[in-house]
């Protein structure tokens, strides 16, 4: 599912950042999507013998987390371009924020 972040990030950069992708980039995204789908199907078939209804909760949560991570990366790029002059300061602030959220959880 790590490749799904690449797909989400590319699509969100087109939608939010108004970037344009060339045909080769769209073809690469399509290839990654197909490969990800094949890997997911192959992984699902390798489950336990008696399990007729595999749970989709795990893969759905993984995809959701990759979507949120891609969103964070796009928003960080916007923050660096418009608000933060030092990318390292933004990274440090993000890390502190993440530690605080993890501590609260």
């Amino acid at each position: 599912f790590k490749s799904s972040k690449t797909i989400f990030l590319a699509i969100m950069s087109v939608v939010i950042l108004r970037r344009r992708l060339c045909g080769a980039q769209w073809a690469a995204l399509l290839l990654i999507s197909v490969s990800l789908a094949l890997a997911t199907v192959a992984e699902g078939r390798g489950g336990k013998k008696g399990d007729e209804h595999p749970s989709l909760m795990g893969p759905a949560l993984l995809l959701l987390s990759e979507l949120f991570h891609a969103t964070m990366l796009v928003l960080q790029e916007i923050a660096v371009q418009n608000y933060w002059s030092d990318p390292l300061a933004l990274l440090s602030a993000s890390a502190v924020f993440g530690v605080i959220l993890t501590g609260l959880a």
Side-chain angles (χ1 to χ4, degrees):
F1 286 102
K2 289 288 184 187
S3 299
S4 63
K5 185 185 317 164
T6 304
I7 298 164
F8 291 140
L9 186 57
I11 292 172
M12 294 185 78
S13 69
V14 168
V15 172
I16 296 174
L17 299 174
R18 305 279 188 231
R19 293 220 170 114
R20 295 194 184 274
L21 300 180
C22 67
Q25 291 169 321
W26 284 111
L29 285 175
L30 180 65
L31 182 64
I32 292 171
S33 299
V34 169
S35 301
L36 181 64
L38 286 174
T40 303
V41 168
E43 186 176 302
R45 292 188 180 193
K48 297 178 183 175
K49 294 285 184 189
D51 193 13
E52 295 178 14
H53 304 288
S55 174
L56 296 177
M57 181 63 77
L61 289 174
L62 284 171
L63 284 174
L64 187 63
S65 72
E66 295 298 321
L67 176 64
F68 283 136
H69 191 198
T71 303
M72 184 194 70
L73 291 173
V74 169
L75 293 177
Q76 278 184 341
E77 184 169 342
I78 291 170
V80 167
Q81 288 175 351
N82 299 325
Y83 306 109
W84 293 77
S85 59
D86 183 18
L88 188 57
L90 175 64
L91 181 64
S92 299
S94 295
V96 168
F97 184 68
V99 167
I100 291 170
L101 282 180
T102 303
L104 292 175

